Amino acid sequence: MLRLRVCLLPVVALLVAACATRIADLPRSDGDVSAGKAIAFQRKSLAPTDSGRLALAEDLQPGDILLSAAPGVTSFGIRLLTTSPVSHAALYVGDGEVAEALGGGVRLRRIDAMLAEESVVAAFRNPALPEDGARGVSRFARDKVGKPYDYVGVMMHAPFALQRRVCELPGVPTFLRETCLSTFATLQLIHGGDDRFFCSQFVVEAYRAAGFPLTRARPHWVSPEDIMHMRAGDVSSLPVEQPLMYVGHLKFAPLALGLPGVSVPLPGSVPRVQTGPVGQ
């Protein structure tokens, strides 16, 4: 038992230390010609730096990306493995419906049903997506309803989620990190084909098919955590074509793993959500 604990220590340390960084420009003040550079760190919290916002279902637009987490053991395992506050990604396709890839395959779900079943739901938007692009994303998502789930692809992400942390250690230059991740993904991740999807792959593939790719990385490389880090102001481990805009939290409830007599909270996952409308 002691040997097992000693062997696990480097793995735990790597997971904790893995936090992608990049060199960013400091904000300029009046009269300051050069504000200099600083190291920007990847943000593990789902809330933005200026606290969260409360959003309503009516605030959503077709093409919006919904990142969420559920109270179950499966969701907890994904969040623990990826050190992320989210475990699922879905698309809002209009008319109060959400398209998503789950264990039973691609399906449509009412937004009110999603809010009832998930503990945390936050919305993100591609601000450069035009109306015809949003229709293209929604059309792709609806056309794929009934397609099977990519079990092989998502299972391959488990070892990849651990090994990729080597590429994401603080101080690793952006080019080297992206090259490292691309190499690991090419060697380890299997593409199940264009007729089966897991959740984040489905979201990224819909944008790619509509002609507005979120990233140059292949869709089956992308996890819900990767999509979260594509938001504006964050540090993405993958190359981002268009940073996402945070719309707001549609729902938030403290997340914990329920065990007999034990409650294990998820540190860093609690946003400060304002009670006013979006934009306030």
Side-chain angles (χ1 to χ4, degrees):
M1 181 63 70
L2 179 59
R3 174 181 290 184
L4 177 60
R5 291 177 180 175
V6 172
C7 291
L8 287 176
L9 282 177
V11 177
V12 174
L14 184 61
L15 284 172
V16 172
C19 180
T21 58
R22 63 177 171 84
I23 303 299
D25 292 321
L26 287 171
R28 294 189 176 187
S29 58
D30 293 339
D32 191 359
V33 177
S34 177
K37 304 285 186 178
I39 297 178
F41 289 85
Q42 197 171 69
R43 302 203 316 269
K44 292 297 185 179
S45 172
L46 184 56
T49 55
D50 59 350
S51 81
R53 302 201 246 331
L54 177 66
L56 303 175
E58 293 76 17
D59 299 314
L60 296 177
Q61 297 177 8
D64 283 354
I65 299 170
L66 302 177
L67 299 180
S68 64
V73 173
T74 300
S75 175
F76 180 86
I78 294 172
R79 285 178 274 129
L80 184 63
L81 187 65
T82 60
T83 63
S84 170
V86 297
S87 59
H88 183 56
L91 284 167
Y92 182 72
V93 293
D95 298 325
E97 292 184 313
V98 175
E100 57 190 349
L102 291 171
V106 179
R107 70 172 186 178
L108 291 176
R109 178 165 51 155
R110 298 294 301 177
I111 183 64
D112 54 348
M114 182 179 191
L115 294 177
E117 296 169 12
E118 304 287 319
S119 294
V120 174
V121 182
F124 293 84
R125 179 173 298 157
N126 181 342
L129 185 67
E131 187 174 341
D132 62 332
R135 287 196 297 268
V137 170
S138 298
R139 182 167 54 250
F140 174 91
R142 290 181 179 277
D143 288 346
K144 299 302 180 182
V145 170
K147 293 295 183 180
Y149 189 72
D150 187 3
Y151 282 103
V152 173
V154 77
M155 286 175 58
M156 296 303 295
H157 263 269
F160 177 67
L162 294 175
Q163 296 173 13
R164 65 178 288 177
R165 300 305 177 190
V166 175
C167 309
E168 298 171 315
L169 291 173
V172 175
T174 299
F175 173 77
L176 184 58
R177 179 177 65 247
E178 292 178 357
T179 302
C180 178
L181 282 171
S182 175
T183 302
F184 270 119
T186 301
L187 293 175
Q188 295 184 12
L189 299 181
I190 298 174
H191 187 200
D194 296 330
D195 61 342
R196 57 187 67 241
F197 308 90
F198 55 84
C199 66
S200 47
Q201 174 192 7
F202 178 66
V203 169
V204 176
E205 187 65 51
Y207 268 86
R208 187 200 63 78
F212 296 88
L214 298 174
T215 174
R216 297 189 299 277
R218 301 183 67 180
H220 68 285
W221 295 0
V222 182
S223 69
E225 179 198 17
D226 287 319
I227 295 178
M228 183 184 78
H229 292 310
M230 292 179 187
R231 58 193 166 177
D234 204 346
V235 178
S236 175
S237 298
L238 300 173
V240 177
E241 291 292 305
Q242 171 61 55
L244 299 174
M245 178 183 73
Y246 169 73
V247 176
H249 276 69
L250 285 86
K251 182 178 181 181
F252 174 77
L255 284 162
L257 175 62
L259 297 173
V262 179
S263 179
V264 183
L266 298 182
S269 63
V270 182
R272 293 176 293 149
V273 180
Q274 299 172 356
T275 57
V278 173
Q280 288 191 354

